Amino acid sequence: MPLSFRGMCMEFRTITTHTHTHTHTYTHTHTRTQKTTEERHAPVDNSPPPLPHDRHHRSHTSPSSGWRILYAIGVVPLLVLAYLRRRLPETRLFVRAKRQQQLLAVG
């Protein structure tokens, strides 16, 4: 007698299923020392460690002056642009169009 679709699925499931048994053993020990009364009641210092006082590691700028340095670097191209706008001559086409516009406004 032929199996139904559900019967074939159940048969396939019983053929393909298998079990694995794993046994893991972990050994983990903790050792903790008891603090003295003075250590338990001492104030906690969460401040960062001090910076080295070596002259090679010392910075000449403060951390808050970084944006000022970048701002000054960004101003340099603007000054160059202003200088070039004043010093470069206009094109002949622009001068001709400007002259025609002035003539039409007067005449």
Side-chain angles (χ1 to χ4, degrees):
M1 177 173 186
L3 289 173
S4 66
F5 179 73
R6 183 175 179 184
M8 287 191 303
C9 290
M10 294 301 288
E11 184 177 328
F12 178 74
R13 211 176 283 155
T14 57
I15 293 171
T16 57
T17 57
H18 54 279
T19 59
H20 289 283
T21 306
H22 295 285
T23 306
H24 297 283
T25 306
Y26 295 103
T27 305
H28 194 78
T29 57
H30 290 280
T31 56
R32 185 174 176 190
T33 58
Q34 292 291 328
K35 291 184 177 182
T36 63
T37 306
E38 292 82 23
E39 289 174 334
R40 275 186 262 142
H41 296 294
V44 178
D45 182 22
N46 290 330
S47 62
L51 295 174
H53 293 291
D54 188 12
R55 66 183 177 95
H56 297 292
H57 295 286
R58 201 173 319 155
S59 175
H60 296 289
T61 59
S62 67
S64 64
S65 66
W67 70 269
R68 291 183 178 102
I69 294 169
L70 291 176
Y71 192 80
I73 291 171
V75 168
V76 172
L78 294 176
L79 295 174
V80 171
L81 181 67
Y83 174 78
L84 291 176
R85 280 194 67 180
R86 292 187 183 268
R87 301 293 292 173
L88 288 176
E90 297 292 346
T91 62
R92 283 182 259 142
L93 181 63
F94 178 78
V95 172
R96 192 178 312 140
K98 190 174 181 182
R99 207 177 293 146
Q100 283 180 354
Q101 191 179 28
Q102 288 174 348
L103 290 175
L104 289 174
V106 173

